[in-house]
């Protein structure tokens, strides 16, 4: 039986080719994902480990938890602590570390790096071992800076050039005195690093005389553990915490692995989708192969082969096909991993150098996935073939499904579909996070149910296309009859395309609805013309607001200033605003009271008011970060949203209690309204600062929606793999169907149907099947998009379902195009059949 199985594989090489390709693509996606993420993770881990070469123990300030009405805060690492650290037994040296956001502009004034990866720090003395100088000297004084070599290379800077830099708003123009090399992970990822002398860095980052970290180097013969113990005894108890470099490196490696885990899981989900779609193709292929060899299998049974041996022979065929596909997929996946690694460099996402990592786990995963998926998909057709009695199989090539099996299948499909719909609808009434898991379960149940019911659904839906098919005469009529002749085969072929279009449509519906919701939120909550903020979301210097208030054409402005406080024993963040102007800059719906922010009068969003049991006229006591208390009165409760929420009070009331006030955003209203010329004027007033963003409401909504658009585009790209696999499935089904119907096609040719008619028949059959899958996929996608939107709408009042009719028409056209293209080769093959040879074939 083993030799028979191998001969069958060799006898059906062409027919199994599409199956091999489908499995290979899925395996390539899996192995490519593993190679890519392992390579990137290893490169970043090695790079981060090098960053700890100059430190054995790191000293950091320990956060003090909030107690009672005191606001929690982080103690400062003082110069005295640095001096103590340098003198402990076993310490060779101690370095004070200062860091913070620092934006560097290129020669065109554009921000270098991705905002969040733009960092600044201090250069320790004249020779800092952490940052070896490639050229120039160490920076000294506020007018000098050193930058990393990668940034200098990208922007074309050299020693002696003047560079535009921003820390918290105002533009600085120091001279570059040195260019250094670094193993900093942010720089390796495409960011930038600017270093000032220690005193300048402390002043710029608001840390005069203090440090963010103290790095201690151990003397020869002193272990990291011994040095840590000595530091713990010498430094103030409860104010500092010490960590060995080994622990820091391990933690960093774990963090990198964790961050890469999300990317790996996301890519593997799409690989799983491609494999899931490929499963339909494999099952379809083996079902057709078994059907075509029914007499052959019956003869084997008649000469003594058992049912188990017949099933085993089919599984051996599947094993061989799966093994070949898995090996080919592994090789292709290694190429994909290497290609993605190289691609990141071309799109500006710099990654540290490192070897291509191909682990034993990757190899075993690829082989296991390819072989198991193929054997699993082939098991049911093999089992079904073994159950056919030898005499019945010899008398008929086709084994038709019994009425009992069809009733059982349709009943099971209806139960799964009904349960899936019920669970999804129930999940829409739950709280956002609570409803996610039930909705996922319901979606899986519904997809399985629809797949089981697809043979039943195929007849009425394909029959609906009959009027259009009549236009094509006898070819159209034959195409319709061929499409419904074997509902299970049609269903398996259409389901492969259905899965991909379900996901694409669902994501498109959600993205379009979210975009409109964000636009409505921005236009309804904010009446200001512009929102000014830092490029990385950090705090703005109060000097930015002062500059804007003196700029001509501005009629009203208000900074949004965050400050921690303690209310009823809990930490609450207050939002300081310009009380006299905030009403002109926002358009918030007031639920109760009169919107007034002045003195001790504050306004509170509905969620915060509900959590504390407040209403208009309620009073409460807040304890500011300086420890002082004040009684405040709620003048109004407003409807909060994702852009504006919380407790708003006048900055004149809040600022005296802040040691270092800073603004998160500034709302600006101008006399001329939002226009490109007004925006240019504001940007110039702020010194054409690369770190400061000036956005109108449309820019704001676009920047928020940009994340969803990016994710959507990635999903489209990744789901393209599933669509390609589905196309292979359509080609495979048609090609095997043409082979199976060779005699029938020969008879059609003999009685007068020409080659063009044969081609048209096969193309129309493919078109009908693809459109059937497209209709099912789009219908399910809209339903899932609506259901997911119900969860989002519970937390976003402006959310409404938007059905992108134009996009859905495009998706349906895509499904039709897939059908036409997939039929090209099978149709040509059918038309080329010799009618006499075909009539004589069995």
């Amino acid at each position: 039986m083993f030799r028979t199985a191998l001969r069958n594989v060799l006898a059906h090489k062409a027919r199994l080719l599409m199956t091999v390709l489908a499995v290979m693509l899925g395996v390539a996606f899996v192995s490519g994902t593993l190679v890519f993420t392992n390579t990137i993770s290893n490169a970043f881990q090695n790079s981060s480990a090098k960053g700890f070469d100059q430190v054995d123990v790191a000293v950091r300030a320990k956060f003090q938890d909030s107690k009672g009405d005191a606001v929690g805060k982080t103690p400062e690492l003082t110069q005295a602590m640095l001096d103590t650290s340098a003198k402990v037994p076993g310490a060779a040296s101690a370095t004070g570390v200062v860091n913070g956001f620092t934006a560097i502009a290129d020669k065109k004034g554009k921000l270098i790096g991705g905002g969040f990866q733009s960092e600044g720090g201090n250069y320790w003395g004249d020779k800092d071992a952490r940052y070896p100088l490639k050229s120039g000297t160490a920076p000294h004084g506020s007018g000098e800076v050193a930058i990393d070599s990668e940034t200098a290379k990208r922007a074309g800077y050299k020693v002696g050039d003047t560079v535009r830099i921003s820390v918290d708003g105002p533009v600085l123009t120091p001279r570059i005195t040195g260019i250094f090399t670094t193993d900093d992970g942010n720089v390796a990822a495409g960011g930038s690093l600017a270093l000032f002398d220690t005193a300048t860095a402390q002043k710029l980052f608001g840390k005069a005389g203090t440090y963010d970290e103290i790095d201690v180097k151990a003397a020869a013969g002193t272990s990291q553990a011994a040095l840590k113990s000595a530091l713990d005894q010498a430094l103030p108890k409860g104010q500092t915490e010490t960590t060995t470099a080994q622990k820091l490196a391990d933690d960093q490696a774990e963090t990198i692995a964790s961050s890469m885990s999300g990317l790996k899981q996301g890519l593997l989900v799409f690989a799983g989708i491609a494999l899931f779609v490929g499963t339909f193709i494999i099952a379809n292929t083996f079902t057709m192969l078994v059907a075509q060899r029914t007499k052959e299998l019956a003869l084997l049974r008649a000469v003594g082969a058992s049912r188990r041996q017949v099933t085993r022979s089919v599984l051996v065929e599947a094993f061989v096909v799966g093994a070949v596909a898995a090996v080919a997929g592994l090789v292709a996946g290694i190429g994909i991993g290497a290609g993605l690694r190289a691609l990141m460099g071309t799109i500006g996402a710099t990654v540290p150098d490192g070897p291509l990592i191909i682990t034993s786990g990757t190899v075993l995963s690829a082989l296991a996935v390819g072989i198991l998926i193929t054997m699993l998909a082939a098991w049911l057709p093999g089992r079904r073939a073994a159950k056919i009695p030898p005499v019945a199989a010899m008398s008929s090539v086709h084994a038709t499904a019994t009425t009992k099996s069809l009733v059982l299948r349709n009943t099971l499909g209806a139960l799964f579909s009904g349960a899936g719909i019920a669970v999804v609808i129930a999940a829409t009434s739950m709280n956002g996070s609570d409803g996610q898991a039930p909705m996922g379960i319901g979606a899986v149940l519904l997809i399985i149910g629809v797949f089981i019911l697809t043979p039943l659904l195929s007849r009425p839906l394909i029959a609906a296309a009959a009027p259009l098919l009549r236009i094509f005469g006898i070819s159209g009529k034959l195409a319709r009859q061929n499409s419904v002749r074997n509902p299970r085969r049609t269903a398996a072929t259409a389901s492969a395309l259905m899965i991909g279009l379900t996901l694409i449509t669902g994501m498109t519906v959600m993205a379009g609805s979210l975009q409109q919701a964000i636009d409505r939120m921005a236009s309804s909550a904010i009446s200001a013309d512009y929102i000014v903020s830092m490029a990385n979301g950090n705090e703005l210097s109060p000097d930015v607001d002062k500059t804007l208030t003196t700029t001509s054409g501005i009629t009203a402005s208000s900074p949004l200033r965050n400050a921690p406080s303690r209310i009823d024993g809990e930490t609450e963040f207050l939002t300081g605003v310009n009380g006299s102007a905030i009403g002109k800059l926002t358009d918030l719906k007031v639920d109760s009271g009169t919107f007034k922010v002045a003195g001790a009068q504050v306004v509170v969003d509905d969620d915060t008011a509900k959590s504390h049991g407040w209403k208009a006229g309620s009073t409460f006591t807040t304890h500011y970060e300086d420890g002082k208390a004040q009684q405040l009165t709620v003048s109004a409760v407003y409807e909060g949203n994702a852009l504006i929420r919380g407790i708003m009070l006048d900055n004149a009331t809040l600022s005296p209690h802040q040691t270092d006030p800073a603004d998160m955003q500034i709302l600006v209203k101008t006399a001329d309204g939002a226009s490109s010329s007004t925006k240019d004027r504001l940007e110039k007033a702020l010194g054409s600062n690369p770190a400061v963003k000036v956005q109108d409401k449309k820019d704001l909504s676009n920047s928020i929606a940009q994340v969803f658009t990016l994710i959507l585009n990635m999903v489209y790209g990744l789901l393209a793999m599933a669509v390609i696999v589905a196309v292979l499935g359509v080609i495979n089904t048609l090609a095997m169907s043409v082979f199976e119907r060779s005699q029938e096609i020969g008879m059609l040719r003999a009685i007068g149907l020409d080659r063009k008619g044969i081609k048209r028949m096969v193309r129309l059959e493919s078109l009908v099947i693809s459109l059937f899958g497209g209709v099912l996929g789009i219908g399910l996608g809209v339903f899932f998009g609506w259901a997911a939107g119900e969860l989002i709408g519970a937390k976003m009042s402006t959310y409404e379902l938007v059905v992108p009719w134009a996009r859905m028409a495009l998706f349906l056209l895509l499904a039709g195009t897939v059908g036409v293209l997939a039929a090209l080769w099978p149709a040509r093959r059918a038309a080329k059949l010799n009618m006499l040879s075909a009539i004589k074939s069995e």
Side-chain angles (χ1 to χ4, degrees), residues 29-47 253 256-261 263-265 267-268 330 333-334 337-338 340-341 344 351-366:
F29 210 154
V30 171
S31 54
T33 295
L34 295 175
V35 169
F36 172 65
T37 52
N38 288 339
T39 297
I40 298 300
S41 180
N42 180 74
F44 276 114
Q45 286 176 13
N46 289 341
S47 177
I256 292 169
S258 177
S259 63
M260 293 304 296
S261 175
L263 174 63
K264 181 187 293 186
Q265 289 174 5
L267 291 173
L268 287 176
L330 175 62
I334 293 171
L340 288 174
R341 169 71 177 77
M344 290 192 72
V351 178
D353 292 331
L356 197 66
I357 304 299
I358 305 167
T359 64
S360 57
T362 299
V363 176
L364 291 175
S365 297

Side-chain angles (χ1 to χ4, degrees), residues 276 412-424 437-453 498 780 783-784:
F276 184 58
L412 192 63
L415 289 173
F416 268 96
S417 299
I421 292 171
V423 173
V424 168
M439 185 167 289
I441 294 170
V444 171
L445 289 174
L446 180 54
I447 288 175
I448 292 173
V450 171
F451 168 64
I452 296 173
L453 285 175
M498 178 191 77
L780 283 174
F783 176 71
F784 291 141

Side-chain angles (χ1 to χ4, degrees), residues 55-61 76-97 124 211-219 222-224 226-237 239-243:
V55 55
D56 288 302
V57 178
V59 180
R60 293 169 179 168
E76 298 173 330
L77 297 178
T78 62
Q79 183 65 39
M81 292 179 182
L82 175 64
D83 295 338
T84 301
S85 300
K87 294 175 182 176
V88 297
S93 63
T95 302
V97 178
W124 191 254
Y211 303 94
D212 293 296
E213 182 176 303
I214 297 172
D215 290 344
V216 186
K217 187 74 175 170
T222 303
S223 68
Q224 291 184 357
L227 179 59
K228 180 183 183 301
S229 178
L231 287 166
D232 286 338
Q233 293 177 9
L235 294 170
K237 305 296 182 195
Q239 295 185 36
T240 60
E241 54 185 2
T242 57
T243 312

Side-chain angles (χ1 to χ4, degrees), residues 494 497 501 730 765-775 815-816 818-820 822:
L497 197 57
L501 284 178
V730 177
E765 180 183 346
S766 176
L767 179 63
V768 168
I769 293 173
S770 298
L771 289 176
F772 169 54
V775 169
V818 164
V820 172

